Every structure is written in C-alpha cells, then in structure tokens.
Amino acid sequence: MNRAVNRAVSHPADRRPHRRPARRRAVTAVVAALVVLTAAGCSGEGEETPELSVVGAFVPEPVSEAVAGGFLTVRNDGEVDDHLISVSSDLAGTVELHETVDNTMRRVDRFVVPAGGELTLSRGGNHLMLLDLSHRPVEGETVSLELHFETSEPIGIDVPVEAGTHTGR
C-alpha cells in the first residue's frame, strides 16, 4: 500500500521537466510575436520619406566647349532630409557639385535637400559644373540631367539651354 501512495505522490523535482516545455513554448511564442511585430514595423509602411521635385532648371549658353553651369531648384515636400550626391548628363563627361563661399568655388560631395524646404542652385551660389562637354550647347537645345540622391530614386530632367545672360527669373 505504501507503494501505491508513493507512486501517486510525485516529487516536485519530477514535475519541473514537464513544466519547462510549456514555459519554453510560451516564451518562444512571445519572442516570435515580437519578431513579427518588429518586422512589420520595419516593412516600410508608414516610414517618412523625402518627396522631391525639380523646378526652374536651365543651363546658360556657355562661352566655350570647356564648361557649362547648371542651375535648378529641388523641392522636398517630405518630412525627412535627402542629399543630392551626384549628377550625370548626356552633354558632360563629368558633372560636379560646387558651392560658392566668399566668391570662391569649390567642389563638394553632396548638397542637403531639407525636409519641407528647397535646395537652390543658382548663379553666384551653389551650382552644377558640367565639364568635358561633348559640344558647346546653344540656346534652344536641351540637355539631359539625371540627379542622384542618397535616399530617393534618381530624377531625370530635360533642361533648356537659355541665353548666356539668363538668370532664371
């Protein structure tokens, strides 16, 4: 009779292994749910992105085949900044981003396109420098430019060649 009682009463240590799998399953389920929720949060839905557009672009007719300037405004109606990091063109072997500080031009690696704001490339200020031209463009032609950004997809534009004295206004 003692044997039946001993068999019916189990030791607390004997019960722990049976509870561990249930706890592990519960912990695994919670971790899995967190992973799914985290992945859903990173899926791109609802993420803030730049919303870029280009206006007012022109290339003044250059005086030589060596170089030309490019001017335009990039608008960002989005809620996060982006950066213009490079430009390519069918007219130029190289397009550099230049800033002008104290009447001195220098090449830069990028321009910020601020959230809710504009990047303005204009005469006497920040601008594009088109180098190694395939020919000297004349007023009435168009030049293809492709603007490359850190976050946004590239934007391709056909830019009119204006009179050499054109200011964009």
Side-chain angles (χ1 to χ4, degrees):
M1 192 153 159
N2 268 347
R3 285 188 185 188
V5 170
N6 285 339
R7 286 186 189 161
V9 176
S10 62
H11 190 272
D14 294 337
R15 284 183 281 173
R16 266 188 267 153
H18 298 291
R19 287 188 178 181
R20 280 190 190 162
R23 280 188 191 157
R24 284 187 188 143
R25 282 192 299 272
V27 169
T28 301
V30 168
V31 170
L34 289 174
V35 168
V36 168
L37 290 173
T38 301
C42 296
S43 68
E45 293 180 25
E47 286 184 19
E48 295 176 351
T49 59
E51 296 176 24
L52 306 181
S53 60
V54 178
V55 297
F58 70 98
V59 170
E61 185 176 318
V63 296
S64 74
E65 283 187 28
V67 299
F71 309 103
L72 52 89
T73 298
V74 181
R75 291 185 178 153
N76 184 354
D77 293 325
E79 296 184 14
V80 294
D81 293 351
D82 205 344
H83 293 87
L84 176 64
I85 56 173
S86 70
V87 177
S88 56
S89 173
D90 63 343
L91 175 67
T94 304
V95 180
E96 294 181 350
L97 308 177
H98 282 204
E99 70 177 1
T100 304
V101 177
D102 297 327
N103 292 321
T104 303
M105 288 188 304
R106 67 178 176 196
R107 184 177 178 203
V108 296
D109 293 330
R110 63 184 49 224
F111 287 123
V112 67
V113 186
E118 298 179 338
L119 164 64
T120 301
L121 304 180
S122 61
R123 290 181 177 269
N126 299 336
H127 60 278
L128 303 177
M129 185 64 69
L130 289 78
L131 306 167
D132 305 320
L133 304 181
S134 61
H135 68 281
R136 181 178 167 264
V138 295
E139 184 177 358
E141 287 184 38
T142 59
V143 175
S144 294
L145 296 179
E146 186 169 83
L147 286 66
H148 302 269
F149 300 92
E150 187 172 74
T151 303
S152 301
E153 292 294 318
I155 297 175
I157 55 174
D158 289 327
V159 180
V161 178
E162 301 287 355
T165 57
H166 184 73
T167 62
R169 297 185 182 133

